[in-house]
């Protein structure tokens, strides 16, 4: 045992002598990896550049919640068929609303990004129709539609189902006119306007959240940090 220990110790000494040579390729690889990581960080910074179109949302064309004078804006791209969007609306949004929207610091806009199924587009058409025809009922319809969400892989957002949701949440709804608008795709242009904005903003999935046009993670802490930074910058 003792001999073998000595041998090990000797061979260790020899190895130590060779270490710098052995380390050379490892150091080189580490440098390459480091450069790649730094490059990636730069890419992240680039992605965080503001999308100007998202910080000048026109309240006459889009639903805006909160004070129109607020200096900070949050934009959410969503799909009514997206379960995470529903979760976000239930778990993250109420806190944001209480802390920032109701206090006049932040205004909030929802934009359509229907991509999950063909009925995602039908749901977006319904949302745009309600916003155009019954703007005062828009947020109630929006919430009711998320509450009425069914399985993601089931084609549930049919004109009939969307009409039921609208009857529940929009007072004095003209049912026949609403059905006709869905059948005619009356508000397709408005849906496409939102989707095109999303593509410009490189939306990869929903909910996609932007604070003053800059992409942020959709969790409360990340949004709060971005809002506070923007509020400090406009003071
Ligand atoms: Ca819209």
């Amino acid at each position: 045992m003792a001999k073998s220990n000595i041998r090990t110790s000797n061979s260790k000494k020899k190895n130590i002598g060779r270490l710098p040579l052995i380390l050379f390729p490892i150091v080189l690889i580490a440098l390459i990896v480091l450069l790649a990581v730094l490059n990636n960080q730069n890419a992240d910074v680039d992605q965080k550049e503001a999308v100007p179109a998202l910080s000048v949302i026109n309240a006459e064309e889009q639903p805006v919640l909160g004070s129109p004078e607020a200096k900070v804006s949050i934009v959410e791209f969503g799909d009514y068929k997206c379960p995470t969007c529903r979760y976000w609306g239930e778990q993250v949004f109420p806190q944001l609303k209480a802390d920032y929207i109701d206090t006049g610091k932040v205004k909030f806009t929802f934009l359509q990004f229907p991509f999950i199924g063909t009925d995602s587009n039908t749901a977006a058409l319904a949302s745009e129709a309600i916003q155009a025809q019954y703007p005062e009922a828009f947020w109630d319809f929006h919430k009711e539609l998320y509450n009425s969400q069914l399985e993601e892989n089931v084609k549930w957002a049919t004109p009939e189902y969307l009409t039921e949701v609208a009857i529940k949440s929009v007072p004095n709804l003209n049912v026949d006119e609403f059905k006709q608008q869905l059948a005619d795709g009356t508000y397709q242009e408005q849906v496409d306007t939102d989707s095109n904005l999303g593509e410009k903003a490189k939306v990869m999935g929903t909910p996609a959240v932007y604070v003053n046009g800059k992409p942020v993670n959709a969790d409360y802490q990340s949004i709060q940090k971005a809002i506070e930074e923007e509020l400090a910058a406009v003071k």
Side-chain angles (χ1 to χ4, degrees):
M1 282 298 278
K3 269 187 185 170
S4 126
N5 274 345
I6 290 162
R7 226 177 271 146
T8 310
S9 158
N10 276 344
S11 73
K12 262 186 192 163
K13 269 183 197 160
K14 276 182 197 163
N15 282 345
I16 287 165
R18 283 187 206 136
L19 269 182
L21 267 184
I22 291 166
L23 277 181
F24 183 72
I26 296 172
V27 169
L28 194 67
I29 289 165
L31 271 175
I32 291 167
V33 169
L34 183 69
L35 281 175
V37 168
L38 285 176
N39 253 342
N40 252 340
Q41 276 177 352
N42 283 341
D44 279 349
V45 170
D46 287 346
Q47 276 174 10
K48 288 206 166 160
E49 271 179 21
V51 182
L54 295 185
S55 42
V56 288
I57 291 293
N58 185 344
E60 280 166 25
E61 292 166 6
Q62 300 291 1
V64 173
L65 198 63
S67 165
E69 314 301 321
K71 295 279 190 289
V72 178
S73 84
I74 301 179
V75 168
E76 179 211 354
F77 285 93
D79 180 326
Y80 289 105
K81 290 200 74 183
C82 149
T84 319
C85 299
R86 178 184 183 173
Y87 175 86
W88 190 86
E90 289 169 355
Q91 302 296 323
V92 179
F93 182 72
Q95 192 67 49
L96 282 176
K97 185 171 179 294
D99 293 349
Y100 294 106
I101 301 168
D102 292 347
T103 54
K105 294 175 182 172
V106 168
K107 56 190 166 190
F108 175 79
T109 305
F110 174 83
L111 298 181
Q112 318 287 346
F113 197 74
F115 73 104
I116 291 173
T118 52
D119 54 333
S120 296
N121 188 65
T122 320
L125 283 173
S127 172
E128 290 292 333
I130 297 301
Q131 188 220 325
Q133 302 280 318
Y134 309 89
E136 66 293 340
F138 174 79
W139 295 105
D140 287 340
F141 174 78
H142 175 81
K143 196 167 178 217
E144 188 68 38
L145 186 45
Y146 273 123
N147 287 346
S148 309
Q149 190 181 77
L150 301 177
E151 290 275 324
E152 193 178 350
N153 53 0
V154 172
K155 195 173 172 179
W156 58 263
T158 60
E160 296 70 32
Y161 192 79
L162 292 162
T163 304
E164 276 175 41
V165 174
I167 289 170
K168 268 192 245 170
S169 53
V170 181
N172 307 317
L173 176 81
N174 183 331
V175 174
D176 291 338
E177 186 190 60
F178 179 69
K179 281 183 177 167
Q180 197 59 50
Q181 286 166 345
L182 291 184
D184 295 345
T186 308
Y187 292 96
Q188 190 62 56
E189 197 184 318
Q190 282 75 1
V191 173
D192 294 345
T193 297
D194 288 14
S195 284
N196 290 339
L197 270 173
E199 281 175 14
K200 269 189 203 146
K202 301 187 177 79
V203 170
M204 303 296 284
T206 53
V209 178
Y210 293 75
V211 174
N212 275 0
K214 295 174 198 157
V216 294
N217 288 339
D219 62 284
Y220 182 79
Q221 284 74 16
S222 300
I223 300 169
Q224 182 182 43
K225 184 169 173 279
I227 291 173
E228 292 295 343
E229 281 170 11
E230 293 296 326
L231 286 174
V234 294
K235 258 178 195 165

